[in-house]
């Protein structure tokens, strides 16, 4: 009976471990930091996943505040992310966006200081 349980555990767990390793192994911890004084709404996408995964959805980040997130690392242990930001002030809407590659414990500055495209 014990051997059957061991066999089932191997058959179930081994593919999960191999899948995790193929996706880059460990997660990459990153801080998303609002680098301005005004509050902004931020969305962050993990570009190492297929399809890309939304990690932070329209989160309000106060001025000069950081939000920790975890992303999937690539074969080099780096995370590829994309972010968009919009100001919370509806009267004078501002936007921002960028893509970047970061390593573990990195901080990514986000901002909404440009005109929004239609």
């Amino acid at each position: 009976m014990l051997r059957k349980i061991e066999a089932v555990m191997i058959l179930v767990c081994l593919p999960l471990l191999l899948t995790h390793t193929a996706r880059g192994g460990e997660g990459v911890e990153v801080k998303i930091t609002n680098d301005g004084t005004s509050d902004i709404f931020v969305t962050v996408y993990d570009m190492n996943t297929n399809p890309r995964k939304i990690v932070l959805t329209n989160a309000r980040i106060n001025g000069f505040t950081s939000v920790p997130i975890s992303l999937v690392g690539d074969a080099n242990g780096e995370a590829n992310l994309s972010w968009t930001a919009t100001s919370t002030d509806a009267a004078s809407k501002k936007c921002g966006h960028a893509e970047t590659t970061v390593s573990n414990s990195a901080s990514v500055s986000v901002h909404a200081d440009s005109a929004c495209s239609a």
Side-chain angles (χ1 to χ4, degrees), residues 52-74:
R52 69 182 183 176
K53 177 182 167 190
I54 299 175
V55 180
L56 199 60
T57 306
N58 221 17
R60 185 179 188 128
I61 302 179
N62 298 331
F64 299 113
T65 302
S66 295
V67 175
I69 61 170
S70 183
L71 303 165
V72 173
D74 63 12

Side-chain angles (χ1 to χ4, degrees), residues 1-113:
M1 177 70 160
L2 186 57
R3 289 190 186 261
K4 287 182 182 179
I5 293 173
E6 288 175 347
V8 168
M9 292 298 288
I10 289 172
L11 290 173
V12 170
C13 294
L14 188 59
L16 293 174
L17 290 172
L18 293 175
T19 301
H20 185 67
T21 302
R23 296 180 75 185
E26 300 287 323
V28 177
E29 303 302 318
V30 177
K31 285 184 184 176
I32 303 299
T33 303
N34 178 352
D35 66 3
T37 57
S38 301
D39 295 359
I40 56 177
F41 292 115
V42 178
T43 299
V44 178
Y45 301 91
D46 188 336
M47 305 302 282
N48 281 349
T49 60
N50 189 13
R52 69 182 183 176
K53 177 182 167 190
I54 299 175
V55 180
L56 199 60
T57 306
N58 221 17
R60 185 179 188 128
I61 302 179
N62 298 331
F64 299 113
T65 302
S66 295
V67 175
I69 61 170
S70 183
L71 303 165
V72 173
D74 63 12
N76 297 322
E78 295 180 319
N80 298 302
L81 68 96
S82 171
W83 61 266
T84 60
T86 56
S87 60
T88 57
D89 182 7
S92 83
K93 190 65 88 178
K94 297 286 185 179
C95 295
H97 62 90
E99 290 187 23
T100 188
T101 301
V102 295
S103 56
N104 206 29
S105 300
S107 182
V108 175
S109 295
V110 297
H111 45 269
D113 55 8

